[in-house]
Each structure stands twice: as C-alpha cells, then as structure tokens.
Amino acid sequence: AEEGAKFFMNVVAEHSANPRMLIVHEVMGRDCGYLAAATARAYRSMLDEREFVPGFGVTKERMDVHAIYIPEIPIDISAEAWRLKKIMDTVGNVNIFISEGAGVKDIVAEMEANGQEIPRDAFGHVKLDKVNPGAWFAQQFSSMIGAEKTLSQKSGYYSRAAPPNAEDRRLIQSCCTYAVSHCAARREPGVVGHDEDNNDLLRAVEFSRIKGGKPFDISVNWFIQMQKEISHYGMDQAPIPAMSPRVGKSDLPPGAKRIAILTAGGLAPCLSSAIGALVERYTELHPGNEIICYRGGYKGVLLGDSFVVGKKEREMAHLLHLWGGSPIGNSRVKLTNVKDCVKRGLVKEGENPQKVAADQMIKDGVDILHTIGGDDTNTAAADLAAFLQQNNYKLCVVGMPKTIDNDVYPIKQSLGAWTAAEEGAKFFMNVVAEHSANPRMLIVHEVMGRDCGYLAAATARAYRSMLDEREFVPGFGVTKERMDVHAIYIPEIPIDISAEAWRLKKIMDTVGNVNIFISEGAGVKDIVAEMEANGQEIPRDAFGHVKLDKVNPGAWFAQQFSSMIGAEKTLSQKSGYYSRAAPPNAEDRRLIQSCCTYAVSHCAARREPGVVGHDEDNNDLLRAVEFSRIKGGKPFDISVNWFIQMQKEISHYGMDQAPIPAMSPRVGKSDLPPGAKRIAILTAGGLAPCLSSAIGALVERYTELHPGNEIICYRGGYKGVLLGDSFVVGKKEREMAHLLHLWGGSPIGNSRVKLTNVKDCVKRGLVKEGENPQKVAADQMIKDGVDILHTIGGDDTNTAAADLAAFLQQNNYKLCVVGMPKTIDNDVYPIKQSLGAWTAAEEGAKF
C-alpha cells in the first residue's frame, strides 16, 4: 500500500500534461479491494503533509483521489460518469484508483459476447494483465466525462517487488519469531498470523481454516470516512482560487513590463520549479513588473486563457520547487499545424494560428515571453516573435530548455534530465526483484528517448551507482550479477539481434535472468517497417512523431528475444510517466536556479532573446543561445568516458562465466547434532514486499534459538521441490541474513506451480507423464529428510503445503508445515494482516 502510494505521488502531476486529463491508477487485488483502498488512504495521508499553491492551480482538489472502485462495491457507470463529469468541469482533471478485479465480470462478459477466449493461469484465474481493467475503465469513462486525454498506470510490479517498510518488518519479525520459538519447537502446524476469529491473537491458524477470497471489510471507519470525503467531489462546487485582477498597461509603474510565462510539450521534472524560480527572481529584481501565466501552453495563448501572478502567489512561489508537472498546464499545440488547431477548436476555419496567437499577445501587452519547453516549444516562440516584429510589435522571447531526453542542440544539459534519470533508476530498483518471481525471467525496462539514448544510458548509470551502494547476499542468490543491467539499447547504436541473443542466452544460462534497458526510440525503424509491411497505419502526433506508446518498443524487444534466449517469462516495464512528472532533484534545482537568474537579470533586462543554457559550441558558457541554432534530435555522445566504461563492464556478462557462490555441503541426517532437525524454507506464488525479509527473519531466529538445526531452501517454490533443487544455508549465509530485510522479491525464487494440476506440471516438464506431482514432491521431502517446512505464500501456497503434509502422514512420515501469510491483497481468511500489504499500498501511493 505504501509503495503504491509513493508510485502515484510521482504520476499524479501528469494531469498537468494535458487539459481535462483522466488518470486511472490500477492497483493489484483480484477479489479483494483492500490494497486499492489502503493505497488511496496512504496516498491521501501523504497529501496531507504537502503544502499547496492554489493561485498556481496546485490544489488538493486536483491532486486528490476522486473515485475508488473495488470488487466489493457494485459500480453504476452512468451515475459515476455524471459525478466525474462534474469533477472534470470544476476541478479540471479526474484521478481514479481501481482494484484490478473491479469490473472484471463485466469485462469477461463483454469478451465472451465477442467470442474472445478468456486467458487463464494454472490456477484457473483470469489473467488480469491480459484483460486490462484499468484501460477498460479509462475507455468506459473517457467520452462520458469529456476527457481530452486518458492515462492508465499500474503500480503492481513496482509495489510488490519492493523491500518491506518498518511496519511490515515488525509484523514479519513477530510472525517469524512465533513460527520458530513456538510452532517449530512444538511441531504445531498452521499459518502464523493474527487470528480474526480469536480476538486477533497471534497463533498458528489451522490449515483447514485458511482460504483465499476474503473480501475487504468496507465497514471499517477509515474507509467509510475516506469514501465520504471523496464523494463530495462532483457534489459540492470545487473552490476556485481568487485571481489577482489584471491592470491596464498604463497603470503599471513607470518602466515596468508585462512578463508572460508558458510551459508546453511533454512534462519534465523542472517545469513547476522553473516557474517558481522565474517568479522569485522577478519579485526580487523587478518587483514592479506584472507577471501573467498562460494556461495550457500555446492553447492558452490561442484562447486568451491567462491569469495574473499576484502578491500571494509571489510569496508562495518557493513551494513550486517541491512539485512535479506544470501547475499552469501543458498542451501539445503546433501553431504551424493549422489543420490540427482547427480540428481541436483552437482557431476557426480560415484563421492562421500564428496570427491569432500574435493578436492575443498584442492584446495582452506582453513585453517578455518566457517559454519553458523543448525545441518545438522554443522555435515556435521564436517564429511568433518574428511574426510580431513584422507587424511592428517587439516581443522578446527567452526560452528555457526542457527535455528529459537531453537532445536539444547546442544545449549541454536540459532542465529535468538529471532527475528523470535518477527517478527511472529508483523505479527499476523496485522492479528488478521481479526476476525472482519466475525462473529465467527477462525484464525489459523501457525509458523515454525518441531519437536520443541519453536518458536510457544515464538511467542505467544512476541505477548502477545505486547498486554500488548496496550490500549483496551471494549465498542466497542476491548477487550484483542478477541485479545489474545486462544490455543497453539506444538509437545511436545499431543492434545485431542475433549476436545479442547469443550473448544474452549465455547470461540467462549462467546468471539465471536478464535485465535490459532500452530507449523507446531504439529499434523504432524496424518496428515501423514491420507495421507498414503488415498494412498497419502508423499512429503519429501533431508534430508528425510516431506515437511510441502505440508501437510499444519494449514489448517488441521482449518478443524478439524471449524464445531466442530461452526466457520462461518476460516483463516489460515503462518508467516514463513516473520519471517525468516528478519534482526536480537537488542537481536539477541548481541548474534551474542559475538559468532562471540569468534569464531575468541578463536576458529580460537587456531584451536579449534566445534559449538560456550552457552553449556546447561556446566552451559550455551559460548564455542565451540564438533561436536559429536551436534544434532537436541531438544524439547522445556515445564517446563519453562513463558510457564507454559502463558498456565495457556490461559486455563482460555472457562472455565471462558468472561467479557461482560456493554452497555449504549438505550433511547426512545422522550427522546432525543430537535433537537437531532439518528445516526447509520455500516461497511461492506472486511477489510481495516481505519474502526476502521473512527468509532472513527465519534464518536469524533459528540461528539464535536452535543453531544446531540445518536449514535448506528450495529454489523456485514447489518447482524446486519437484526437481530436488535446494541448497544449505551455511555459516556465512546465516551471518549475512540480516541484509535480506533490505531487499525485495524472493532471493530463493518463486514460481506458480499447483501440485494438483497434473496437466500443467507435465506440460512444464516438472513431472513425467503418469506421475502424481504430490507424490513426487512427497518423495523428495522424504529423501531430503525435512522435519519442518516453512512456506511463505498466499492461500494456494499454504493449503498446497498442508495437502502435502497430509499426503506424507498417510505414508507414516511426519512433516510439520508452518506457513506465513503473504499477499499484498490482504485477502486470506482469517488472517487480520498479511505480510507485505502495508508496504505495497505505500509504494503504490508513491508511484
């Protein structure tokens, strides 16, 4: 819940990328709405700690959650559309949190009516990533509420692969201590948790009482209160901040000028901060000047939609450094694309958008225009200034170079690019542990960057720097080799798919997983050629650029490599929206401050037009670069030392044998100390922010209380049991077990294997035709001499273990199974709180 909250805290500023934006945040939770509700709660608690800037449009109303849809509450689409339409009309955007299981029955019914096959997993569950509930809700509501753009984002993998927060670690420690000191010592089987049917007592709940599908209790006070607060949106008129009045040009103090600010194009982690810095500098150096902001970039200019930055807004401008997105709004409008401007109702048929914009500037009496955007934004501003000059109106345009791609000639460093790389690295630091969810996992991390590979390379660099600060636990499989970047593909370097597949196959065979970073523009020519050959239309935006979210390069690369390298599962993740809507880091804030100070104290004072930045053609001097020299498409310089060194280090993977940690030898059962037992640990099912920590806590407790016991871990859950794949936790591993609390995922690996699904086990080569998977697993347990089996998983994992114990008992072999309730959905009867659920909600809110 906490991780989901963190996730959305970055993404929410995307509402400023386009007017009337609908954002759908899809949270995991098949049959239970706990995680969606807890994530919304965690996110709103984070909002309560923030300071807003209403005069600039940074309001709680815009950032808040406007609807929560969960499986436990029926959804009246029409009634909700009416309410959400009112929110859109008054607040200007809509944010929805949904459980992935909400509305699934309607989606499945629609698919079946269309004759589509319903994709299901080995347990018979509908594959929710295939039916895509978030996109379905976005599609249902979009036209009904008048959304100009929709964005559907999933925080699931980001949330569930994170390490646990402090709250979850306390729960893990208490459960593991009880499991070892009480259950294992007394051979008392069950799933350790707080029993809701026994006054929330921490105990071993009988396996016969464990089952999934526990619904979220919608009668809890905090949920009722939250729903009550949220329901006011659309019913009560949203408060509209009082705007400072605009004065006539002649009423300004002598010598004072009218300054205009606009932001345009895609978001970057600098827009809000740059607006704040400009307002602060003008207030400090030229307090008599009037400042106006155009809402929604050039759209605001065409429609004459602007507001005055008054005294109160000036006093609060410093708060804008703490927010992402653009508080005054962005839009992608190209003034020279007449057809698109007419189609969008920004100008009338026969009108010239440049003239309409120029007339508005004249009407508004603007002296200095500050544009914060990429090459398209700033060259459009320069064209507008030239158009006005031809009509004897002198407008000085001072641009700021915003682009996370860092691809503007001849600007050395664009605003926001450093932050975007750092945020992308943080994103992958959460996601990378997904490699432990399945054997032979291929993860593709798609990073923004249409024609320039800077961001993908810088993100990989930032991520690897973070890895250098971490401590690994090789004996448990937590190695730098598994966590590292194994390939970087960028537009500047041709990709030999066959040669790379050969190298990546060697990495997969030795390391066990593959992590790829790609620029979204890498391989686009090949993808477009393939689409055109298939007769598909190429989706393009107003500027003629290929819509990369539609052609999906990450998924294409995953598909290309999957079978060639023998991946059992692939995962493609995009960090773009998470990265670009974040507030700037300290490094970017310094760059923003220096550029804005120069723009005001030098350019505006001397009426010197241009784009402020460090000029690569003039010894990296900070100056106003002439508009005639500004253009996009600057490639990443692949000859820089840090990139060459990084590529050199990465290229060793697949060429050199990955070091395999020496495993402690297994001793015979008779060689164990008197009274000592053999303890086995396995994790199974989906990931949750508790698995690594729970393994660490169990090892710590046994080492502390029963040091003579031998501990083994099965690799890959029940798959490891069936294949007899396990290792001994030796002295060195025991000494390093505390480090497992700092990692997400499962260091010993997970898999989704149902022992009663014979057909699936045969298909996957885990048992032979005619064999009973339960008997194979039981025989392996007997062979391994296991006394206590600790299973860390959901209801499926733990009931499978109980069935296995019963099967063994029938064969006169007593196995004590002690389970731990892992599920981010918190949907296991009668467990009050499952391990990892608190963290997952928090991370989702951060996203």
Side-chain angles (χ1 to χ4, degrees):
E2 185 180 284
E3 292 296 311
K6 292 176 188 174
F7 180 99
F8 195 71
M9 188 57 80
N10 262 32
V11 170
V12 68
E14 276 293 329
H15 74 254
S16 64
N18 211 80
R20 299 181 70 86
M21 174 78 93
L22 165 62
I23 303 180
V24 178
H25 178 201
E26 183 181 323
V27 180
M28 285 186 170
R30 179 181 298 279
D31 302 304
C32 175
Y34 165 83
L35 186 58
T39 302
R41 183 194 192 192
Y43 170 71
R44 298 183 82 237
S45 294
M46 290 178 187
L47 275 189
D48 288 340
E49 301 297 315
R50 303 294 299 270
E51 283 192 83
F52 299 95
V53 199
F56 282 99
V58 183
T59 65
K60 186 174 182 184
E61 290 74 23
R62 300 203 75 182
M63 305 293 178
D64 209 348
V65 181
H66 301 126
I68 304 170
Y69 302 136
I70 58 177
E72 291 83 356
I73 301 177
I75 305 161
D76 185 330
I77 295 287
S78 299
E80 274 295 274
W82 178 85
R83 186 179 71 87
L84 296 178
K85 172 77 162 55
K86 291 192 73 176
I87 296 172
M88 185 68 87
D89 293 342
T90 54
V91 176
N93 62 285
V94 169
N95 305 317
I96 299 174
F97 277 42
I98 71 158
S99 255
E100 62 183 354
V104 165
K105 289 179 182 176
D106 295 321
I107 300 171
V108 168
E110 190 177 289
M111 291 177 70
E112 288 176 334
N114 294 332
Q116 294 173 264
E117 185 180 350
I118 310 302
R120 298 183 185 275
D121 64 16
F123 294 89
H125 304 143
V126 174
K127 288 185 175 180
L128 296 173
D129 59 325
K130 303 296 183 184
V131 300
N132 212 338
W136 185 84
F137 271 97
Q139 187 179 11
Q140 292 296 308
F141 283 123
S142 181
S143 60
M144 297 172 79
I145 69 174
E148 286 192 18
K149 189 176 179 183
T150 62
L151 176 66
S152 178
Q153 289 284 282
K154 302 178 182 182
S155 63
Y157 293 115
Y158 175 90
S159 299
R160 76 177 198 167
N165 63 12
E167 205 168 10
D168 260 318
R169 282 199 300 273
R170 283 193 294 271
L171 180 61
I172 290 164
Q173 290 286 1
S174 62
C175 289
C176 288
T177 297
Y178 188 89
V180 175
S181 63
H182 182 95
C183 299
R186 301 184 184 190
R187 296 187 65 86
E188 184 178 316
V191 176
V192 177
H194 294 89
D195 189 341
E196 289 185 305
D197 297 337
N198 282 280
N199 299 315
D200 297 339
L201 186 68
L202 181 64
R203 59 185 299 275
V205 179
E206 298 77 10
F207 281 108
S208 59
R209 294 174 54 218
I210 293 293
K211 60 178 179 176
K214 181 182 84 171
F216 170 54
D217 181 2
I218 60 174
S219 69
V220 292
N221 289 336
W222 64 262
F223 182 70
I224 292 171
Q225 181 60 31
M226 181 168 67
Q227 285 287 77
K228 184 179 177 182
E229 291 167 6
I230 287 172
S231 68
H232 285 302
Y233 292 122
M235 301 305 173
D236 303 332
Q237 176 69 33
I240 298 172
M243 294 285 105
S244 301
R246 180 169 309 178
V247 298
K249 196 77 182 281
S250 59
D251 296 323
L252 292 175
K257 296 180 176 66
R258 180 163 284 151
I259 312 300
I261 301 172
L262 69 78
T263 63
L267 297 188
C270 64
L271 300 173
S272 182
S273 183
I275 294 166
L278 286 171
V279 172
E280 286 176 316
R281 291 296 80 76
Y282 273 110
T283 302
E284 176 191 349
L285 301 174
H286 308 287
N289 286 356
E290 184 184 71
I291 306 171
I292 68 170
C293 294
Y294 285 106
R295 292 188 182 93
Y298 288 114
K299 178 178 180 177
V301 179
L302 292 173
L303 300 178
D305 184 9
S306 64
F307 66 92
V308 172
V309 178
K311 183 172 184 264
K312 189 174 181 182
E313 288 75 55
R314 290 177 184 241
E315 290 170 352
M316 300 182 76
H318 65 283
L319 295 174
L320 294 178
H321 300 299
L322 307 178
W323 289 96
S326 170
I328 61 177
N330 274 27
S331 64
R332 290 187 179 273
V333 174
K334 191 170 187 178
L335 297 177
T336 54
N337 189 334
V338 180
K339 187 178 177 182
D340 183 64
C341 289
V342 171
K343 180 183 175 183
R344 293 164 71 175
L346 303 178
V347 298
K348 297 173 184 174
E349 192 73 53
E351 285 186 323
N352 177 354
Q354 273 198 320
K355 185 175 186 310
V356 173
D359 288 345
Q360 188 62 50
M361 288 278 183
I362 294 169
K363 181 181 175 184
D364 290 338
V366 175
D367 297 292
I368 309 287
L369 172 64
H370 289 284
T371 54
I372 311 167
D375 54 295
D376 288 325
T377 300
N378 287 309
T379 50
D383 292 342
L384 187 60
F387 188 93
L388 283 161
Q389 197 162 12
Q390 292 166 12
N391 290 275
N392 299 316
Y393 188 91
K394 291 183 179 178
L395 171 72
C396 178
V397 180
V398 181
M400 312 288 286
K402 173 279 314 172
T403 164
I404 59 175
D405 302 348
N406 198 33
D407 66 345
V408 178
Y409 281 108
I411 304 296
K412 184 178 180 66
Q413 186 69 34
S414 299
L415 309 183
W418 279 323
T419 304
E422 185 181 279
E423 292 297 313
K426 289 178 188 174
F427 176 91
F428 195 72
M429 188 59 79
N430 263 31
V431 170
V432 67
E434 278 292 330
H435 74 254
S436 64
N438 208 83
R440 299 184 69 87
M441 174 78 93
L442 165 62
I443 304 179
V444 178
H445 178 201
E446 183 181 321
V447 180
M448 284 186 170
R450 180 181 297 278
D451 302 304
C452 176
Y454 165 83
L455 187 59
T459 301
R461 183 193 192 191
Y463 170 72
R464 298 183 82 237
S465 294
M466 290 177 186
L467 275 188
D468 288 340
E469 301 298 314
R470 302 295 299 269
E471 284 191 83
F472 298 94
V473 199
F476 283 99
V478 183
T479 64
K480 187 175 181 183
E481 290 75 22
R482 300 203 74 184
M483 304 292 176
D484 209 349
V485 181
H486 302 126
I488 303 170
Y489 302 136
I490 57 177
E492 292 82 357
I493 300 177
I495 306 161
D496 185 331
I497 296 287
S498 299
E500 275 296 272
W502 178 83
R503 184 178 73 87
L504 296 178
K505 173 75 161 57
K506 291 192 73 176
I507 296 172
M508 186 68 88
D509 292 342
T510 54
V511 176
N513 62 285
V514 169
N515 306 317
I516 299 175
F517 278 42
I518 70 157
S519 251
E520 62 181 356
V524 165
K525 289 179 182 176
D526 296 320
I527 299 171
V528 168
E530 189 178 287
M531 289 177 72
E532 288 177 333
N534 294 333
Q536 294 173 263
E537 186 180 349
I538 310 302
R540 299 181 185 272
D541 65 17
F543 293 88
H545 304 143
V546 173
K547 288 186 175 180
L548 297 172
D549 60 326
K550 303 295 183 185
V551 299
N552 213 339
W556 186 83
F557 271 97
Q559 187 179 10
Q560 294 296 308
F561 283 124
S562 182
S563 59
M564 297 171 79
I565 68 174
E568 285 192 20
K569 189 177 179 184
T570 61
L571 176 66
S572 178
Q573 289 284 282
K574 301 179 183 183
S575 61
Y577 294 114
Y578 176 87
S579 300
R580 74 176 200 168
N585 63 12
E587 204 168 12
D588 259 317
R589 281 200 301 274
R590 284 193 293 271
L591 180 62
I592 290 165
Q593 291 285 4
S594 61
C595 289
C596 288
T597 297
Y598 189 89
V600 175
S601 62
H602 183 94
C603 300
R606 301 184 185 189
R607 295 188 67 86
E608 184 178 317
V611 177
V612 177
H614 295 87
D615 188 343
E616 289 185 304
D617 297 337
N618 282 281
N619 299 315
D620 296 339
L621 187 69
L622 181 64
R623 60 186 299 273
V625 179
E626 298 77 10
F627 281 108
S628 59
R629 295 174 54 218
I630 294 292
K631 60 177 179 176
K634 181 182 82 171
F636 170 54
D637 181 4
I638 59 174
S639 68
V640 292
N641 289 336
W642 64 262
F643 183 69
I644 291 172
Q645 181 60 31
M646 181 167 65
Q647 286 286 78
K648 184 178 178 183
E649 291 167 6
I650 287 172
S651 67
H652 284 303
Y653 291 122
M655 301 305 172
D656 304 332
Q657 177 70 34
I660 299 171
M663 294 287 106
S664 299
R666 182 171 306 180
V667 298
K669 196 78 184 278
S670 59
D671 296 324
L672 291 175
K677 297 180 175 66
R678 179 162 286 153
I679 311 300
I681 301 172
L682 67 78
T683 63
L687 297 189
C690 64
L691 300 173
S692 182
S693 183
I695 295 165
L698 286 170
V699 171
E700 287 175 317
R701 291 297 81 76
Y702 273 111
T703 302
E704 176 191 350
L705 301 174
H706 306 289
N709 286 357
E710 185 183 70
I711 305 170
I712 67 170
C713 294
Y714 285 107
R715 294 188 182 93
Y718 289 114
K719 178 177 181 178
V721 178
L722 291 173
L723 299 178
D725 184 9
S726 63
F727 66 92
V728 173
V729 178
K731 186 185 176 196
K732 189 174 181 181
E733 289 75 56
R734 290 178 184 238
E735 290 171 352
M736 299 181 78
H738 64 282
L739 295 175
L740 293 178
H741 300 299
L742 307 178
W743 289 95
S746 171
I748 60 177
N750 274 26
S751 64
R752 289 187 180 273
V753 175
K754 192 168 186 177
L755 297 178
T756 54
N757 190 335
V758 180
K759 187 178 178 182
D760 182 65
C761 289
V762 171
K763 181 183 175 183
R764 293 163 70 175
L766 303 178
V767 298
K768 297 173 184 174
E769 193 74 54
E771 285 185 324
N772 176 356
Q774 273 198 320
K775 186 176 187 308
V776 172
D779 289 345
Q780 187 62 50
M781 287 278 182
I782 293 168
K783 180 181 176 183
D784 291 337
V786 175
D787 296 291
I788 309 288
L789 172 65
H790 289 283
T791 56
I792 311 168
D795 54 294
D796 287 327
T797 301
N798 287 309
T799 50
D803 292 343
L804 187 61
F807 188 93
L808 283 160
Q809 198 162 13
Q810 291 166 12
N811 291 274
N812 299 316
Y813 188 91
K814 291 183 179 179
L815 171 71
C816 179
V817 180
V818 181
M820 312 287 286
K822 173 280 311 172
T823 164
I824 59 176
D825 303 347
N826 197 32
D827 64 345
V828 178
Y829 281 109
I831 303 296
K832 184 177 180 66
Q833 187 69 34
S834 298
L835 308 183
W838 279 322
T839 304
E842 184 181 279
E843 290 299 310
K846 288 179 191 173
F847 185 97

